[in-house]
Amino acid sequence: MDFSQFNGAEQAHMSKVIEKKQMQDFMKLYSGLVERCFNACAQDFTTKALTTNESTCVQNCTDKFLKHSERVGARFAEHNAEQMQGGK
C-alpha cells in the first residue's frame, strides 16, 4: 500500500493498524486450525498424552491445512497478478 500522501505520524498509525489486523487474522487462522484438528483428532481423554493415532491425525490435519493455505495463497497471487496485468 502506498501511504506517501500521509505525513509521518499518519503513516506510522496506518502501519500499526495494518500490523494489528494481520495479527488478528493470523490468530483467527491459528485458532481455527487448533479447533478443527482438536475436534477431528482428540479421542482419548483418559490420559494427558496423545495416543499414536491422535498424534498422526494432528500431523496429517496440520499438514493438509498448511498445504491448502499455501495453495490458496498461490492462487490468490496468480489472480492478483492477472488483475494487475489486465488493468494496465
Side-chain angles (χ1 to χ4, degrees), residues 55-78:
S55 292
T56 301
C57 180
V58 168
Q59 186 65 48
N60 291 338
C61 181
T62 55
D63 286 347
K64 185 181 280 189
F65 181 84
L66 292 174
K67 287 178 184 174
H68 171 76
S69 294
E70 288 173 12
R71 178 101 170 148
V72 168
R75 290 290 183 209
F76 179 77
E78 290 171 8

Side-chain angles (χ1 to χ4, degrees), residues 24 45 58:
Q24 288 172 336
F45 296 98
V58 168

